[in-house]
Every structure is written in structure tokens, then in C-alpha cells.
């Protein structure tokens, strides 16, 4: 039977729809049997998990290749960060089934900074749903630095994205709490649950940030004045500052990322931290805005969701497979760790992890 698809005046989309319907009608499209539906889908060769030996090898290679790169400088707008030894460097992979591969200074606790934004975003989704984030904060990249006040003015004084400072404070303000103490304790508990270990505040970092966070205080008041912050502005700013001052090791941050890679279940503790239906939403925001105003370049070159922090940590997530973390204090002009970026880029390419297709 010959089927003519295109007809005069028929749009391309309609033609495709008609073709699918005709194929189904003529028996070319088969409805799967119960037995076939129960069979697991074939795994593409490109998605096969590398061996443990290969994972440790690429971690070692990335560490060795970039450990002597002294480019960039420590962030100094937070005085404490300027004092962190700039030679620190760690590379870690944690797989979705809980295997750990590491090299370097993996036990040094650094301040989590903006990497924390991902997990408070997840917390808000878990408590209130993803529509609340979409409507009350927004998910569009601002195209500007993470602490930009100009971006607020260009977007009707709304945060626009949960991974810039304004959006992160809005996320903090949405966490259900009746006091600042309860809000902080809930956020710390959530981040610790993702890490699979009790995390702690680095007091020196918090004090250093609290003494200099005038810009964030101003942003919080602008949001509040326009109905886009949902608790007292000083409270949101202070709890956000504490959130960024949480201490985390490269291994702990990798477990946090691997929890997202594992559909919201911590691969070490096996405790669910986030409903699986929200994981794609979190990863989408990470892909679009996780590398500050270099996010487009990161997506173009590496194609995996990631989040960076000016403390030197970067966590990248390969859904269903692993998290890759780099830590090194010196950052570039955008606030992204130079060595951590290089190390993760190397591993992504070595293991062909780009979600948009093979780089080989």
C-alpha cells in the first residue's frame, strides 16, 4: 500500500502527525506486548558505565594534569576566602551506586558557597512543588553576574533564577519555618542529608561574610519591596549567608551530586532526599545557570549539569551514572575554580559524558 504523505496546503507538522497515524492504522506501528513492555530497554554503548579501574585512572590523570596550574586567584571579596591555601586541589567521582574514586585534598572542608543553592532549591521543591519555584522565583538565566543588581531591574525586580544570589535568598525565604533558627536548622539538615553526613557551619566564613554582605542585604530588600521575597529580608540574608558558609569536603559534595544522579536517593545512606520527579527540574536549572555567567560556554563544551561556588568547589552531575567534583580555591573572573573546571572538563571528555551526544 502506497501512502502519499504531503498534500497541498498540509503543514509539515500535520504531515508528520498524519504519517504516524497512518502507519499505526496499517500495522506498521506495533503495540508492545506485555512481555516486551516488561523487558528493560537496551543500554546504548555510549552510556555503559566505565570500569572502576577506568574511573580511578581518569581521576588520577585529571589531578596530575592540572595540579600545577596556578591560574586564577582566590575570591577576596569575602576576606576569609582570600586566606585559604591556594594550592589545595581535589578531584572526586562518586557513582550512582556509591563507588568513590578520588585524588588530592579530599578531606579538606571548604565553604560550600553557591553549590548550596542547588540543594535548597531541591528542598523548596520537595516542600512546595516545582510550580512554586517556577512562578515565585523563575528559572531563566539572567546572563549577568551572580550578584547583579542590574539583573533585578531588568526583570521587574524579581530574582528570575534560583542559582543567582537573589534567587537563592528567595529560595531560603520559601523554606517553611516559623523562625530564623528553624529555617537555618532545616536547611542545614537538608544539606547534611544529601551529603550523608552531618555538615557544620564554618564560623570564620560566616562572620567574614556577615560583615561584608551589604550587597546581598540590598538585594533582599529590593525583592521584598516588590513582593518577591517571602520572609523578613534580614532573616533571609542571614540564613542564606550561613547556608553558603557550610563546610563540605570534595567527597561530601560528590555524594550530594551523586544523590541527584541517583534519582534523589543518597547512594551511600540509601535515604531518599528528593522525589525523583523533581530531579530533572533541578538538573535543568543547573545546566542553564550553574556556571554563573559562563553557563552557556559550559553547556556548549561539556553538556552536563553543574554548579560552581566561589569557595572553589564545582559539582557536575551525569544523570543515572555519577557526580564529578573538583575543588581548588583560585577562581577566574566569573567566580569559577580554574583547576576544578579543567579537571571536570577532562573527565567529561575522557569518559564521553556529554548528555547531548558523543564528543568522540
Amino acid at each position: 500500500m502506497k501512502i502519499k504523505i504531503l498534500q497541498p496546503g498540509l503543514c509539515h507538522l500535520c504531515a508528520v502527525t498524519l504519517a504516524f497515524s497512518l502507519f499505526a492504522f496499517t500495522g506498521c506501528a506495533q503495540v508492545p506486548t506485555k512481555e516486551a513492555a516488561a523487558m528493560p530497554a537496551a543500554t546504548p554503548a555510549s552510556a555503559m558505565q566505565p570500569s572502576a579501574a577506568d574511573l580511578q585512572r581518569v581521576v588520577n590523570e585529571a589531578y596530575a594534569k592540572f595540579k600545577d596550574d596556578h591560574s586564577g586567584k582566590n575570591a577576596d571579596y569575602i576576606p576569609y576566602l582570600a586566606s585559604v591555601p591556594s594550592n589545595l586541589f581535589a578531584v572526586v567521582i562518586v557513582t550512582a551506586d556509591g563507588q568513590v574514586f578520588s585524588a588530592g585534598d579530599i578531606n579538606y572542608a571548604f565553604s560550600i558557597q553557591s553549590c548550596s543553592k542547588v540543594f535548597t532549591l531541591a528542598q523548596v521543591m520537595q516542600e512546595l512543588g516545582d510550580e512554586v519555584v517556577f512562578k515565585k522565583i523563575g528559572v531563566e538565566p539572567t546572563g549577568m553576574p551572580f550578584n547583579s543588581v542590574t539583573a533585578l531591574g531588568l526583570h521587574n525586580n524579581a530574582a528570575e533564577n534560583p542559582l543567582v544570589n537573589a534567587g537563592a535568598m528567595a529560595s531560603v525565604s520559601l523554606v517553611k519555618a516559623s523562625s530564623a533558627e528553624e529555617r537555618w536548622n532545616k536547611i542545614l539538615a537538608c544539606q547534611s542529608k544529601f551529603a550523608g553526613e552531618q555538615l557544620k557551619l564554618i564560623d570564620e566564613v560566616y562572620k567574614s561574610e556577615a560583615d561584608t554582605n551589604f550587597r546581598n542585604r540590598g538585594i533582599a530588600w529590593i525583592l521584598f519591596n516588590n513582593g518577591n521575597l517571602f520572609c523578613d529580608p534580614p532573616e533571609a540574608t542571614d540564613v542564606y549567608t550561613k547556608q553558603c558558609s557550610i563546610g563540605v569536603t570534595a567527597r561530601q559534595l560528590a555524594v550530594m551530586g551523586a544523590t541527584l544522579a541517583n534519582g534523589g536517593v543518597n547512594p551511600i545512606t540509601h535515604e531518599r532526599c528528593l522525589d525523583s520527579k523533581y530531579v530533572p527540574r533541578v538538573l535543568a536549572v543547573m545546566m542553564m545557570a550553574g556556571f554563573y555567567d559562563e553557563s552557556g560556554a559550559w553547556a556548549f563544551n561539556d553538556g552536563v549539569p553543574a554548579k560552581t561556588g566561589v569557595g572553589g568547589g564545582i559539582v557536575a552531575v551525569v544523570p543515572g551514572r555519577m557526580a564529578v567534583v573538583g575543588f581548588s580555591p583560585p577562581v577566574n573572573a566569573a567566580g569559577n575554580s580554574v583547576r576544578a573546571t579543567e579537571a571536570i572538563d577532562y573527565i567529561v571528555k575522557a569518559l564521553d559524558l556529554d548528555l547531548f551526544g558523543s564528543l568522540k
Side-chain angles (χ1 to χ4, degrees):
M1 176 181 177
K2 293 184 178 180
I3 301 170
K4 187 176 182 180
I5 301 298
L6 296 176
Q7 299 176 15
L10 187 64
C11 72
H12 178 70
L13 178 60
C14 295
V16 173
T17 304
L18 176 60
F20 180 82
S21 300
L22 287 171
F23 281 138
F25 177 76
T26 57
C28 295
Q30 299 294 324
V31 177
T33 65
K34 290 183 179 179
E35 291 77 8
M39 293 176 63
T43 302
S46 61
M48 296 295 289
Q49 188 77 327
S51 67
D54 283 339
L55 290 170
Q56 186 61 59
R57 174 180 57 79
V58 295
V59 165
N60 292 343
E61 289 173 353
Y63 179 79
K65 187 175 181 66
F66 302 111
K67 65 182 179 65
D68 295 322
D69 184 348
H70 301 295
S71 304
K73 67 173 186 175
N74 290 29
D76 55 9
Y77 69 94
I78 300 171
Y80 178 90
L81 297 184
S83 69
V84 177
S86 60
N87 63 324
L88 291 167
F89 182 35
V91 183
V92 182
I93 288 176
V94 175
T95 63
D97 61 359
Q99 299 179 77
V100 181
F101 307 92
S102 61
D105 302 299
I106 63 167
N107 294 318
Y108 182 89
F110 57 94
S111 60
I112 193 171
Q113 295 297 329
S114 287
C115 293
S116 65
K117 296 171 181 176
V118 169
F119 306 100
T120 302
L121 168 62
Q123 183 174 7
V124 172
M125 286 191 186
Q126 187 67 26
E127 287 190 353
L128 302 173
D130 53 359
E131 277 297 306
V132 169
V133 172
F134 188 80
K135 292 178 179 178
K136 291 196 171 186
I137 299 177
V139 294
E140 300 298 333
T142 68
M144 294 188 177
F146 58 88
N147 61 351
S148 174
V149 177
T150 302
L152 290 176
L154 292 175
H155 297 101
N156 298 315
N157 294 313
E160 200 69 7
N161 191 282
L163 300 188
V164 296
N165 289 10
M169 286 189 285
S171 293
V172 165
S173 75
L174 283 169
V175 172
K176 294 180 180 179
S178 58
S179 67
E181 183 179 9
E182 182 185 6
R183 193 179 307 277
W184 159 240
N185 286 334
K186 285 184 67 176
I187 287 174
L188 180 61
C190 177
Q191 308 257 334
S192 297
K193 188 175 179 180
F194 270 93
E197 299 178 33
Q198 181 59 50
L199 302 179
K200 297 179 181 179
L201 179 74
I202 302 178
D203 284 319
E204 296 88 346
V205 178
Y206 167 64
K207 291 174 183 176
S208 184
E209 288 202 48
D211 287 343
T212 56
N213 64 357
F214 306 108
R215 191 182 190 90
N216 283 340
R217 294 180 213 174
I219 289 172
W221 278 108
I222 292 172
L223 291 172
F224 186 77
N225 188 57
N226 289 275
N228 296 315
L229 195 76
F230 311 102
C231 76
D232 179 63
E235 177 181 331
T237 307
D238 189 60
V239 174
Y240 168 70
T241 302
K242 286 182 176 179
Q243 169 188 298
C244 290
S245 304
I246 293 171
V248 67
T249 67
R251 183 188 183 280
Q252 289 169 334
L253 184 58
V255 173
M256 296 173 82
T259 299
L260 293 174
N262 194 37
V265 176
N266 187 304
I268 306 298
T269 66
H270 308 294
E271 186 175 7
R272 179 163 291 283
C273 301
L274 179 66
D275 287 350
S276 59
K277 64 183 178 181
Y278 298 132
V279 173
R281 302 289 183 261
V282 173
L283 296 180
V285 176
M286 290 174 69
M287 180 69 86
M288 296 296 290
F291 243 78
Y292 297 137
D293 45 333
E294 293 181 330
S295 297
W298 176 259
F300 183 87
N301 289 314
D302 292 87
V304 295
K307 185 68 196 84
T308 73
V310 294
I314 302 178
V315 55
V317 178
V318 186
R321 301 178 69 183
M322 68 186 77
V324 187
V325 162
F327 161 63
S328 177
V331 300
N332 64 13
N336 299 318
S337 170
V338 175
R339 277 182 287 193
T341 300
E342 291 172 330
I344 298 173
D345 172 78
Y346 177 86
I347 290 172
V348 166
K349 289 180 168 61
L351 299 179
D352 205 16
L353 299 176
D354 190 314
L355 300 184
F356 300 113
S358 177
L359 296 172
K360 295 180 179 178

